[in-house]
Amino acid sequence: MEPVLNLRMVSFKYKGEWVLKDIHLRTFEGEIVGVIGPNGSGKSTLLKVMDGVLKPQEGDILLKSRPIGSLARAEVAKEIAMVAQENYFRFAFSVLEVVLMGRFPHLRRLQFEGERDKDIALNALKATHALHLSNRSIHEISGGEKQRVLLARALAQEPGVVLLDEPTSFLDLKHKREVFRLISSLSTDRKLAVVLVSHDIDLIAQYCGRIVMMKDGIIAFQGPPEVVLTPESIEKIYDCPVFVDINPATGKPRVSLRG
Ligand code: ADP
């Protein structure tokens, strides 16, 4: 199968030190890649480079075999949707208005959204179980509801790739589970290639086919959860003692702090 996004020997620096070094990473339709690693290891930067917002100084990124640097911003945005960490809205847009923003890359200059765009936005809200929120203000919904709305905005873009930066960081256990389940079913149903940064290692282990473990801007380990989530690899990247056993309910590795 052809990778949707293909990063080859990618290195990036803001200025001074390299923040990403020799990154090799491919994403495929219907697969969720989980990215973990300590604060400052380069996870958010990696997503921004994959989104084409930051341009790597070395290496190249192919989007469906075409160099991402050769594509116009709107072309990239038709294929790649990002759910970023910062999502502050200055104005009290309605939820539907926020989701319609996902249609911008598909509109021509000075064109307004039409009925079809609205249908796509409403469908996206339906898919993320947020249709009932359509007329609410984005300022007046809960954290879990907001994540579902932002996911709907990403889907309204009709992308092949969805990048998510810590989508569950402020959510309680139930809502974390809900978001992961939702992402998982959307990835399967819509054949999306998903890249998800999260500190919820156990949920990553449960829902991701592949895990990328970052440390100091490099991919220290990459592979299926059963293979890469070992005490040695986790201790190496996080620099703290852990033990790993198997969650009897899921059969996937489970990571706990050792004291
Ligand atoms: P993570 O998401 O893993 O916490 P980041 O990608 O945010 O890591 O940051 C990686 C490194 O890049 C850090 O050393 C951080 O200080 C630096 N960095 C992040 N954003 C910028 C920026 N806009 N300008 C300069 N350095 C940055």
Side-chain angles (χ1 to χ4, degrees):
M1 207 199 307
E2 189 201 16
V4 188
L5 261 183
N6 186 359
L7 281 71
R8 302 190 300 190
M9 291 289 280
V10 166
S11 297
F12 174 84
K13 56 183 167 190
Y14 290 98
K15 39 186 176 302
E17 301 271 296
W18 291 103
V19 171
L20 297 175
K21 286 169 272 188
D22 294 341
I23 302 288
H24 263 291
L25 182 58
R26 296 159 152 217
T27 67
F28 296 93
E29 278 182 3
E31 188 194 28
I32 308 180
V33 176
V35 181
I36 61 173
N39 297 327
S41 57
K43 303 181 300 297
S44 293
T45 304
L46 175 65
L47 289 193
K48 288 176 192 156
V49 162
M50 294 179 95
D51 187 33
V53 169
L54 298 176
K55 312 258 176 273
Q57 289 84 359
E58 289 184 11
D60 56 19
I61 302 177
L62 302 177
L63 172 59
K64 294 188 170 166
S65 303
R66 292 188 298 172
I68 202 169
S70 69
L71 302 172
R73 188 68 211 138
E75 289 305 305
V76 176
K78 281 180 195 165
E79 285 294 337
I80 305 177
M82 167 87 107
V83 179
Q85 235 179 92
E86 302 288 323
N87 283 295
Y88 171 70
F89 292 92
R90 254 185 87 192
F91 300 103
F93 296 111
S94 75
V95 160
L96 181 59
E97 283 169 331
V98 168
V99 177
L100 274 170
M101 290 172 194
R103 297 302 301 157
F104 284 174
H106 295 273
L107 303 178
R108 285 190 300 278
R109 239 162 72 86
L110 303 179
Q111 185 192 7
F112 288 104
E113 304 94 353
E115 278 309 305
R116 183 167 174 273
D117 298 302
K118 196 171 165 194
D119 284 348
I120 290 170
L122 291 171
N123 253 322
L125 279 165
K126 202 165 147 201
T128 64
H129 315 303
L131 191 55
H132 61 290
L133 302 171
S134 297
N135 296 320
R136 297 269 295 278
S137 155
I138 192 71
H139 289 165
E140 290 165 7
I141 57 177
S142 72
E145 288 168 342
K146 192 168 175 189
Q147 278 309 330
R148 298 211 303 272
V149 171
L150 295 172
L151 202 49
R153 181 176 66 174
L155 294 180
Q157 242 169 285
E158 299 190 309
V161 183
V162 177
L163 310 171
L164 300 128
D165 200 351
E166 297 193 27
T168 53
S169 47
F170 299 112
L171 304 184
D172 64 36
L173 214 49
K174 175 182 164 181
H175 290 98
K176 278 183 201 287
R177 176 173 179 268
E178 232 171 53
V179 167
F180 268 88
R181 285 168 67 101
L182 189 56
I183 292 167
S184 175
S185 65
L186 291 171
S187 164
T188 309
D189 296 347
R190 301 191 176 213
K191 296 193 170 57
L192 297 173
V194 176
V195 182
L196 169 68
V197 169
S198 175
H199 290 297
D200 294 308
I201 304 184
D202 292 349
L203 286 165
I204 289 259
Q206 189 178 336
Y207 288 98
C208 299
R210 188 153 44 103
I211 299 186
V212 163
M213 297 171 77
M214 298 206 49
K215 170 143 180 131
D216 298 334
I218 64 161
I219 295 181
F221 304 94
Q222 177 172 188
E226 304 74 24
V227 177
V228 293
L229 285 182
T230 63
E232 296 75 26
S233 66
I234 297 164
E235 285 175 15
K236 184 163 177 210
I237 66 163
Y238 287 106
D239 201 18
C240 73
V242 296
F243 68 82
V244 179
D245 62 357
I246 298 293
N247 178 334
T250 62
K252 299 287 183 179
R254 175 171 63 179
V255 179
S256 317
L257 283 169
R258 189 148 43 80

